[in-house]
């Protein structure tokens, strides 16, 4: 792992490198420019929703996991510690309004759960931190169709979304990730962190989208670390 205290007395540095619609292949294509070039201490990577659920970008589970291994190996070669985050479950009622249900041989949330389990196995093998956001959400009964305040729905945002998060959802996501990071690393006020992923990292529809400001999860994570 790179030097945890590389920034002396400076506050934590958090960069938001999420891009909407990205898949694991997209992350591989831009890992040098958007992650390695910044030489962070930790890369927080959350990817998989488009690989597994977006009918226009879906790939096999085998290819997805192969890409995850390539990303992990690439970061290890550059001395960057990877933290893998499983994407949250989705509201399939809305998903199937945008994507033909016949495209899914495996139910969407089952595919996400299988990917989450595979990520956990990989992280245990590589000695990396795994954050099981999928199970955290499921254990809270999320998403709860048109009733919860966490996953965007017609009640909380006026949108039939079911995939992206509200401001409260981003806060919950950041709190889950922060809890796992603090348990592993303790204080993180001297870290440089890159949050790498798709629209969930980008914080689409949020104040400060694409940045570590406002209501994106990288922004809230930075606040939590700074105040710790």
């Amino acid at each position: 792992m790179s030097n945890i205290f590389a920034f002396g007395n400076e506050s934590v540095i958090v960069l938001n490198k999420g891009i909407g619609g990205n898949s694991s292949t997209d992350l591989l294509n831009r890992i040098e420019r958007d992650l390695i070039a910044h030489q962070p201490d930790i890369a927080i990577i959350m990817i998989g929703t488009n690989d597994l659920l977006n009918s226009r970008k879906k790939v096999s589970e085998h290819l997805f996991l192969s890409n995850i291994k390539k990303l992990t190996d690439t970061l290890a070669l550059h001395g960057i510690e990877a933290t893998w985050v499983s994407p949250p479950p989705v509201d399939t009622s809305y998903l199937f309004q945008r994507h033909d249900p016949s495209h899914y041989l495996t139910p969407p949330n089952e595919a996400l759960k299988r990917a989450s389990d595979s990520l956990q196995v990989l992280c245990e093998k590589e000695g990396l931190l795994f954050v099981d956001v999928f199970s955290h959400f499921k254990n809270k009964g999320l998403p709860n169709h048109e009733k919860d305040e966490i996953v965007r729905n017609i009640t909380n945002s006026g949108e039939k979304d079911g995939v992206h998060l509200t401001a409260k959802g981003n806060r919950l996501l950041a709190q889950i990730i922060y809890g796992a990071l603090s348990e592993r690393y303790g204080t993180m006020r001297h870290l440089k962190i890159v949050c790498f992923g798709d629209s969930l990292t980008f914080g689409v529809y949020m104040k400060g989208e694409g940045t570590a400001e406002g209501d994106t999860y990288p922004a809230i994570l930075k606040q939590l670390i700074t105040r710790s």
Side-chain angles (χ1 to χ4, degrees):
M1 180 177 176
S2 56
N3 183 7
I4 285 291
F5 298 103
F7 296 94
N9 293 320
E10 293 183 29
S11 297
V12 64
I13 296 173
V14 178
L15 301 178
N16 183 340
K17 294 299 176 179
I19 294 181
N22 265 200
S23 65
S24 58
T25 299
D26 295 314
L27 295 196
L28 280 169
N29 289 336
R30 64 184 181 91
I31 191 171
E32 293 283 346
R33 178 187 75 245
D34 286 347
L35 203 168
I36 293 169
H38 297 284
Q39 282 298 294
D41 297 290
I42 299 172
I44 302 174
I45 311 171
M46 182 169 62
I47 199 70
T49 301
N50 289 303
D51 293 84
L52 302 169
L53 304 188
N54 187 331
S55 60
R56 292 176 291 276
K57 303 197 78 167
K58 275 175 93 284
V59 298
S60 68
E61 184 178 338
H62 174 77
L63 178 56
F64 170 65
L65 294 174
S66 175
N67 285 346
I68 296 303
K69 184 64 166 63
K70 288 177 184 177
L71 288 162
T72 298
D73 291 346
T74 300
L75 292 175
L77 285 173
H78 289 83
I80 298 170
E81 182 108 349
T83 289
W84 283 100
V85 181
S86 61
V90 301
D91 185 337
T92 55
S93 298
Y94 289 145
L95 181 73
F96 290 156
Q97 292 180 32
R98 299 192 300 274
H99 300 276
D100 185 346
S102 67
H103 291 158
Y104 302 91
L105 299 178
T106 303
N109 282 318
E110 183 179 326
L112 287 172
K113 176 64 166 65
R114 283 168 47 173
S116 177
D117 291 344
S118 296
L119 274 173
Q120 183 171 11
V121 170
L122 172 66
C123 288
E124 288 174 353
K125 181 178 179 181
E126 301 288 338
L128 301 173
L129 179 61
F130 171 69
V131 185
D132 191 356
V133 166
F134 183 91
S135 292
H136 274 277
F137 273 54
K138 273 294 186 181
N139 291 341
K140 290 179 176 290
L142 300 169
N144 187 359
H145 184 63
E146 298 186 352
K147 293 181 180 179
D148 72 77
E149 298 181 322
I150 301 301
V151 181
R152 280 167 52 88
N153 58 50
I154 196 72
T155 303
N156 64 40
S157 64
E159 298 292 337
K160 297 178 180 180
D161 188 317
V163 173
H164 302 101
L165 304 180
T166 64
K168 286 186 177 181
N170 279 295
R171 178 160 294 279
L172 174 60
L173 174 60
Q175 288 170 338
I176 294 168
I177 294 172
Y178 170 74
L181 288 171
S182 60
E183 184 174 339
R184 183 176 177 100
Y185 298 112
T187 182
M188 292 171 283
R189 282 176 289 176
H190 305 287
L191 291 179
K192 186 175 188 180
I193 299 171
V194 169
C195 301
F196 199 45
D198 55 25
S199 57
L200 291 169
T201 297
F202 180 83
V204 65
Y205 309 121
M206 293 295 103
K207 179 183 177 182
E209 62 180 9
T211 74
E213 304 296 333
D215 294 321
T216 68
Y217 105 69
I220 299 164
L221 178 64
K222 183 175 70 173
Q223 293 168 15
L224 291 170
I225 294 171
T226 301
R227 294 169 184 173
S228 65

